[in-house]
Amino acid sequence: MAKLSWGKPKVEFTAAINGAPAIGAVWTPFPEIRQDTAKLATTKGNKKEAPQEGGGIVDVRYELNKYLFELEIFVKKGDSKPIDDTDGLIASNYAVRLTPEDEACEGFILENCVVTVEESYAAADGKVWKYSFDAIKPASGNILKAYTANNLVITPSALYFSDDADATGKTLTAASTGDLTAASSSEDWATVTKAGKVATVKVTANEGATVRTAVITLTADGNTSYILVSQIPA
């Protein structure tokens, strides 16, 4: 296991809806990234001083940092751009996250970015697409957030129901620092509510002839886990 978050990263993107990834968003990985091109650059916020007459500084304040994430990908035969553009401009905003080679190490996520793409060619590498993610204010929290893959532990890891309706429900508990920020179900017959670090799942009666399943999506601390719910038939 690595101590540092170096090595070959996995970089994924998804659409930003109202300043954040949608609940249950599907993240798409970038293909082969050109060596040493996946970089996060931080620009320190502008410094403002309040000088007094005759010299001396009364106060100093800084603006927020700015963040730019860039990477380059090789263009192989038959490839199409991961994110469509019009002469380099991309109309929609996107979120991007990076997972280090050792997934236990901390990466980062930018939840709301303006994205551009540049195309270049050199005989040594062939055609290359360079994507730039300029981070802007997200729906909530810091612009740059820590992200660790599969770091949200939920207990239990799955739920099982009999064929009867369960209006009381069964609970799922997140081993997180903060409260659950999102909870959703893939199916109408299984509903989920959240309170603090606990989610409650309720089901209607299964009057069919087969086992049915639903996926519960829970998010906390910027991480997401998926829990399978199964209900036997009548």
Side-chain angles (χ1 to χ4, degrees):
M1 302 294 286
K3 293 183 178 180
L4 303 179
S5 56
W6 56 10
K8 180 182 178 181
K10 178 171 69 173
V11 180
E12 302 167 288
F13 65 90
T14 192
I17 309 299
N18 297 323
I23 296 174
V26 176
W27 291 81
T28 302
F30 277 101
E32 291 85 353
I33 300 172
R34 188 179 180 187
Q35 186 174 7
D36 297 331
T37 64
K39 296 179 180 180
L40 174 67
T42 301
T43 302
K44 188 176 182 179
N46 292 331
K47 178 181 179 181
K48 293 187 177 181
E49 297 179 342
Q52 67 180 12
E53 191 69 39
I57 302 298
V58 176
D59 201 357
V60 174
R61 64 184 295 268
Y62 286 89
E63 295 178 349
L64 298 177
N65 290 342
K66 298 177 181 178
Y67 303 98
L68 171 65
F69 177 68
E70 296 181 318
L71 57 80
E72 298 179 11
I73 58 175
F74 292 108
V75 183
K76 304 182 299 300
K77 185 182 297 185
D79 280 354
S80 57
K81 288 181 178 175
I83 306 176
D84 292 332
D85 69 292
T86 301
D87 289 328
L89 300 180
I90 295 170
S92 301
N93 287 6
Y94 282 82
V96 63
R97 68 186 185 189
L98 181 143
T99 303
E101 184 173 314
D102 183 343
E103 292 190 356
C105 291
E106 184 177 280
F108 62 84
I109 181 171
L110 301 169
E111 294 181 328
N112 193 22
C113 300
V114 175
V115 188
T116 57
V117 60
E118 303 166 58
E119 187 171 303
S120 62
Y121 174 85
D125 297 312
K127 184 183 287 189
V128 172
W129 290 321
K130 177 182 178 181
Y131 280 89
S132 300
F133 292 80
D134 280 280
I136 59 177
K137 183 176 177 61
S140 63
N142 291 342
I143 296 174
L144 176 66
K145 295 180 174 71
Y147 169 76
T148 304
N150 304 318
N151 199 38
L152 180 59
V153 178
I154 303 294
T155 305
S157 58
L159 292 178
Y160 302 92
F161 288 88
S162 68
D163 61 304
D164 295 327
D166 189 336
T168 301
K170 297 183 179 182
T171 59
L172 298 164
T173 302
S176 55
T177 301
D179 292 341
L180 290 168
T181 55
S184 64
S185 172
S186 65
E187 306 297 332
D188 292 338
W189 56 265
T191 59
V192 58
T193 57
K194 61 181 176 64
K197 300 178 184 180
V198 177
T200 301
V201 179
K202 301 177 183 180
V203 298
T204 61
N206 183 2
E207 298 176 351
T210 60
V211 174
R212 61 183 182 180
T213 59
V215 176
I216 301 298
T217 304
L218 301 179
T219 301
D221 298 345
N223 298 313
T224 299
S225 284
Y226 304 93
I227 299 88
L228 183 66
V229 174
S230 301
Q231 187 180 29
I232 62 173

